[in-house]
Amino acid sequence: MTPSPCPSEQATAHARPDPSSHPLRFGYGTNGLTDLRLDDALALLADLGYDGLGLTLDHMHLDPLAPDLAARTGKVAHRLSALGLGVTVETGGRYVLDPRRKHGPSLLDPDADDRARRVDLLVRAVQVGSDLGAHAVHCFSGVTPPGTDEDTAWKRLAEALTPVLDAATRAGVPLAVEPEPGHLLSSLAGFHRLRRTLGDPAALGLTLDIGHCQCLEPLPPADCVRAAAPWLRHVQIEDMRRGIHEHLPFGDGEIDFPPVLEALASTGYQALTVVELPRHSHAGPHFAEQSLPFLHRAARATPTGPEGRTP
């Protein structure tokens, strides 16, 4: 396991690294910075040297349901451009649609009107992604409701995502579905089932969470990256332990990161790799500052890093 960065490395985090040092671009998820105003979070990440961010649409950060969404999105786009930050739009706000149901309603809800509310959120997210110049819009399936059989759940998911994929096609922004532990679509195998059911649409891509690979996939995380490469549109990264779905700061779990970053680089992945620590917002600036030097160190330890670049 790669050790935590030493203090001298932490002190260099505020200097934006030479982009030629490694081919990967790192971001930080705003769902781990929920105690900061969005503009303050953007300034922090730019100052720390991040290449971009995963922007979770929620009431505290670019509320997708509040008035004047287009105008507010335009202001964020201008700020991102001024700071030189790339962006992925993420849709995992816990209570953005329902203040009492975490991640509810979902694309799998028995009530068609409830499913339509989630579809509307995702279509809005696609428009926001287009207006921001995002490289992808992220989503997930949701948990299978009690009393719903698996075939019905898969049918609902495919039907609900069809208008979202249509919107993504028109906007030219990939929809990157994330396998999420405990959800109907929980694994790479589930992603391929959805892809085949929908007829392999060009707009459908994959969000790969490296910690989730460690948690439940049969392949090691680096092998998951290589297997997912043709469909990979977005990457989330954090540490994790086998069989335990708990997002951990780097060094607190079991993942060996240099092989993972080498796999991303060698497959030609060029979009953002976003740190995903949603339960660490209480110390978000601290973990943002700690995470980037760790990733740069792990990237430098790969064969394609400056210390071992292949000829």
Side-chain angles (χ1 to χ4, degrees):
M1 182 180 299
T2 307
S4 298
C6 65
S8 61
E9 288 172 326
Q10 296 170 12
T12 65
H14 294 272
R16 188 173 292 275
D18 178 359
S20 65
S21 63
H22 58 78
L24 299 178
R25 300 169 60 233
F26 296 117
Y28 199 90
T30 62
N31 62 358
L33 296 169
T34 56
D35 290 330
L36 274 66
R37 297 177 182 87
L38 179 57
D39 194 62
D40 291 338
L42 299 182
L44 170 72
L45 297 180
D47 184 49
L48 291 176
Y50 282 92
D51 301 293
L53 63 146
L55 174 58
T56 296
L57 303 182
D58 211 339
H59 61 87
M60 75 291 287
H61 290 157
L62 195 55
D63 188 342
L65 304 181
D68 301 321
L69 177 60
R72 290 183 288 113
T73 302
K75 292 180 180 179
V76 174
H78 179 77
R79 184 66 170 148
L80 291 172
S81 177
L83 293 172
L85 295 171
V87 65
T88 304
V89 171
E90 303 205 7
T91 60
R94 293 185 180 94
Y95 297 98
V96 65
L97 289 176
D98 189 324
R100 301 191 180 195
R101 283 194 295 164
K102 180 181 176 182
H103 298 313
S106 80
L107 297 171
L108 308 179
D109 272 27
D111 187 282
D113 289 339
D114 278 349
R115 295 198 300 274
R117 291 174 60 203
R118 177 63 61 173
V119 169
D120 176 70
L121 174 66
L122 296 181
V123 171
R124 287 171 180 252
V126 168
Q127 185 59 58
V128 169
S130 177
D131 292 345
L132 294 179
H135 67 76
V137 171
H138 147 279
C139 70
F140 44 66
S141 68
V143 176
T144 304
T148 300
D149 66 85
E150 186 173 295
D151 287 343
T152 298
W154 281 106
K155 181 180 179 181
R156 286 177 187 163
L157 179 61
E159 290 177 348
L161 283 179
T162 296
V164 185
L165 286 164
D166 290 344
T169 299
R170 291 191 299 270
V173 180
L175 184 70
V177 179
E178 178 189 5
E180 181 77 22
H183 285 209
L184 173 69
L185 198 164
S186 62
S187 65
L188 288 173
F191 169 75
H192 290 303
R193 174 172 178 169
L194 176 66
R195 181 176 60 83
R196 290 190 296 268
T197 298
L198 290 168
D200 201 14
L204 179 65
L206 173 69
T207 292
L208 189 68
D209 187 300
I210 301 303
H212 295 174
C213 296
Q214 176 70 21
C215 179
L216 55 73
E217 291 286 352
L219 294 174
D223 289 343
C224 289
V225 169
R226 285 184 279 269
W231 303 276
L232 199 54
R233 302 295 179 265
H234 180 41
V235 173
Q236 298 171 344
I237 193 166
E238 69 286 313
D239 219 337
M240 203 168 286
R241 301 185 182 98
R242 185 70 178 170
I244 304 173
H245 183 203
E246 180 183 5
H247 291 234
L248 300 172
F250 298 118
D252 287 1
E254 301 170 341
I255 299 175
D256 183 14
F257 285 96
V260 173
L261 300 182
E262 162 61 16
L264 285 170
S266 65
T267 57
Y269 178 74
Q270 296 181 342
L272 290 170
T273 298
V274 174
V275 179
E276 185 82 356
L277 292 173
R279 297 187 183 276
H280 291 75
S281 278
H282 63 282
H286 166 77
F287 286 107
E289 184 170 7
Q290 294 283 315
S291 296
L292 189 59
F294 182 100
L295 290 169
H296 285 156
R297 179 176 175 176
R300 289 196 300 270
T302 69
T304 54
E307 297 169 4
R309 189 177 300 280
T310 53

